Amino acid sequence: MVSSPHEAMHRIFQEYPGLFSRVSEVLGVDIPPPTSATALPTDLTEARPVERRVDTLLRIETEHDGPFLLAIEAQGKKDPRKTASWPYYVSCLHNRYALPVLLLVVCQDHATAEWAARPICIGLRQWQTLALNPLVAGPHNMPVITDVAEARKDLALATLAAITHADNPDVGAILKTLSAALRDTPEAIADPIVELTAQGLGNRPAAQQWRNLVAVDTSFYKSFMSEEIRDEGRAEGRAEGRAEGILLVLEARGIDLPDETREKITSCDDPQLLRQWLSRAATAATIEEVFTGE
């Protein structure tokens, strides 16, 4: 079964085809910036009953160097079968489209990235008939972006960097930076990034950190993540869900919660009052401000 991180690591290039131009710079490869990009069918199945499918396939147009194909594979772990399938993908695509082909492998751990970067050689020791050199993006070479201004300059790259650093001990700072960079960003831009980041983090502890950040930031109040959090609360009861939401927001923002305050929130059964507290919790500097006017 395909995992959420797997989908996010290649689907982000479908959403932001120009991202590869910046990734190639990070990887130290001089590839001309694209003038356009077109998503192509990923099914490489032949007439015989063998199905082969690349994760994402883009046709990249450039201003002076002509078009090329970019095949993107999201790789969660070492897979010896790829030493056969990746050369097949490249050869098949080159034969089908008669265009240069690049293979980019996106990983979330150092060991997999190191394995994926090894050249794949087909032939004899004395003479290599075919040599494949994948480009690899992973935690070993993607930037750790903890500067909000830097993240705002390129939200797509910042998102991919956060996904590839999902297991980084400092992922909390990375996610907080991305969240801050999305403040005041139009929903049409912010929502896909919020979703891709959540998908890319999968079931890691960092995923809950991201949910907390999204819940806290009122600019994401209508995003799918915030709706999901509120829907989960409703399933357990409107009042109980709102109380839990208030606690979640306050804890995520680092506001101290004495036991008596926690009890006051969880024992309240007034939905309207809880709604007011929840709204204030998103911006209050102290716990006292949450209960202003009572």
Side-chain angles (χ1 to χ4, degrees):
M1 182 177 180
V2 176
S3 66
S4 291
H6 177 279
E7 287 296 290
M9 284 192 289
H10 70 85
R11 193 165 67 85
I12 188 172
F13 290 91
Q14 297 178 24
E15 296 285 342
Y16 310 100
L19 172 61
F20 178 65
S21 177
R22 280 92 74 192
V23 171
S24 66
E25 291 179 13
V26 174
L27 302 182
V29 181
D30 183 18
I31 294 175
T35 56
S36 67
T38 305
L40 301 176
T42 60
D43 190 352
L44 305 182
T45 307
E46 296 185 348
R48 58 188 181 183
V50 177
E51 182 176 329
R52 300 182 188 272
R53 193 179 299 272
V54 67
D55 288 334
T56 283
L57 179 62
L58 300 175
R59 176 188 169 112
I60 305 291
E61 303 286 343
T62 65
E63 187 173 0
H64 301 295
D65 293 0
F68 67 91
L69 298 181
L70 175 63
I72 302 157
E73 285 278 282
Q75 198 64 34
K77 60 182 180 180
K78 299 177 184 179
D79 185 351
R81 294 172 297 178
K82 295 298 184 178
T83 58
S85 59
W86 285 344
Y88 174 88
Y89 294 166
V90 172
S91 298
C92 177
L93 290 169
H94 183 266
N95 180 66
R96 179 177 297 182
Y97 294 97
L99 289 173
V101 183
L102 287 179
L103 173 65
L104 173 66
V105 183
V106 185
C107 308
Q108 288 180 297
D109 69 271
H110 291 269
T112 302
E114 182 180 358
W115 164 82
R118 295 173 183 170
I120 300 174
C121 298
I122 299 175
L124 301 178
R125 176 178 56 82
Q126 298 89 339
W127 188 267
Q128 300 298 326
T129 304
L130 175 67
L132 174 64
N133 294 285
L135 286 170
V136 178
H140 65 299
N141 56 15
M142 284 293 98
V144 175
I145 300 177
T146 54
D147 180 78
V148 175
E150 182 182 356
R152 282 196 177 123
K153 288 180 182 177
D154 195 332
L155 290 171
L157 181 62
T159 303
L160 179 66
I163 291 172
T164 54
H165 287 289
D167 293 319
N168 189 311
D170 296 324
V171 69
I174 297 170
L175 296 176
K176 187 175 292 185
T177 300
L178 180 58
S179 173
L182 290 174
R183 291 194 187 112
D184 303 322
T185 301
E187 286 184 13
I189 297 174
D191 284 356
I193 289 177
V194 172
E195 180 182 357
L196 280 165
T197 305
Q199 192 176 30
L201 297 174
N203 58 2
R204 293 172 171 83
Q208 185 60 49
Q209 291 180 269
W210 182 242
R211 290 165 62 89
N212 293 348
L213 288 166
V214 170
V216 167
D217 196 329
T218 55
S219 69
F220 299 149
Y221 198 69
K222 294 182 180 179
S223 75
F224 94 102
M225 285 290 287
S226 298
E227 291 293 343
E228 181 181 326
I229 291 171
R230 291 199 299 277
D231 287 345
E232 290 174 357
R234 292 190 194 103
E236 299 174 4
R238 183 177 297 274
E240 181 182 352
R242 283 182 180 160
E244 290 180 356
I246 294 167
L247 296 177
L248 179 67
V249 169
L250 293 173
E251 289 171 357
R253 300 189 63 223
I255 295 178
D256 185 47
L257 273 172
D259 291 341
E260 60 271 20
T261 302
R262 186 181 295 271
E263 175 63 24
K264 178 177 181 177
I265 295 171
T266 57
S267 62
C268 180
D269 58 2
D270 183 341
Q272 185 60 35
L273 186 56
L274 287 167
R275 179 191 289 272
Q276 293 176 4
W277 291 349
L278 179 58
S279 177
R280 294 171 189 160
T283 57
T286 65
I287 190 63
E288 288 76 17
E289 291 182 19
V290 176
F291 306 110
T292 298
E294 294 179 23

